[in-house]
Amino acid sequence: MTRPPIRKAVEADVPDLLPLMRKLARFEKYIDAFAITEEVLREQGFRRSPPDFHCLVAEDNRKLVGILVYYFVPFTFRAKPNVVIKELYVAEGHRSKGVGELLMKAVAKEAKKAGCGLIKWWVAKWNHRSIEFYERLGAKIDPDWHEFQMSEKTFQDLAAS
């Protein structure tokens, strides 16, 4: 298999993006909370200026086989923006063929172009294959920080208190 080209997603990709996002949600065990629709993707990714997210896609024979969704955090202590990767997914049958690495290289180029100081993302602790992949690319697990989360109900309760 030749390596598929990587490009920025366009609004016409939305019907093909959503199934890949759903597969990732199933894999990462949050499908019951998955609320993304085609209209959400169109509005938040392609009709807002600036968009809420950006997306890179890998395409093989005009079929999307990989996605990388990211966004920018414009203000950080480094006085440079960060790129935050929200989703990276490569369809079965296309894994271990360099597609994920091509998507990571493409987002690194976007970060460089934007003058970013850091790319960051989260990986499920049980997802050893992904952890090994990211470490092969030179990424490190941050030993100094724990991720905290506050659910919608919890922050609404806090706001009302």
Side-chain angles (χ1 to χ4, degrees):
M1 174 183 151
T2 61
R3 290 183 154 197
I6 306 299
R7 62 174 174 78
K8 288 185 179 182
V10 295
E11 189 170 347
D13 292 321
V14 166
D16 298 320
L17 288 173
L18 190 57
L20 292 173
M21 290 178 171
R22 281 192 184 116
K23 287 178 182 179
L24 177 62
R26 267 189 217 92
F27 175 76
E28 291 187 340
K29 301 173 179 74
Y30 61 83
I31 191 67
D32 293 341
F34 188 76
I36 306 299
T37 64
E38 285 188 16
E39 189 53 36
V40 167
L41 290 175
R42 282 187 186 92
E43 177 61 30
Q44 294 183 4
F46 302 99
R47 296 181 183 164
R48 289 188 182 168
S49 183
D52 292 344
F53 69 89
H54 303 272
C55 184
L56 298 165
V57 295
E59 191 174 47
D60 187 31
N61 292 321
R62 291 189 257 181
K63 181 178 179 186
L64 298 189
V65 298
I67 60 171
L68 190 149
V69 177
Y70 65 101
Y71 59 91
F72 292 94
V73 176
F75 185 78
T76 70
F77 69 90
R78 292 176 180 83
K80 294 180 176 187
N82 286 346
V83 165
V84 176
I85 297 172
K86 180 61 190 113
E87 298 180 345
L88 172 60
Y89 183 78
V90 175
E92 287 190 45
H94 297 274
R95 296 180 187 154
S96 298
K97 296 180 179 181
V99 176
E101 185 174 347
L102 289 173
L103 287 164
M104 289 296 290
K105 284 181 180 182
V107 78
K109 289 176 185 176
E110 293 296 316
K112 182 178 177 181
K113 185 166 71 175
C116 293
L118 183 75
I119 300 174
K120 65 190 295 182
W121 62 94
W122 295 265
V123 179
K125 291 180 181 182
W126 53 262
N127 194 346
H128 301 290
R129 188 172 175 194
S130 290
I131 292 168
E132 290 171 3
F133 165 71
Y134 294 128
E135 287 177 336
R136 268 196 319 272
L137 295 180
K140 305 280 185 237
I141 295 172
D142 187 333
D144 297 326
W145 293 89
H146 289 284
E147 176 184 337
F148 281 82
Q149 297 181 358
M150 192 175 286
S151 72
E152 186 175 6
K153 181 186 180 328
T154 302
F155 72 71
Q156 287 180 353
D157 291 347
L158 178 61
S161 67

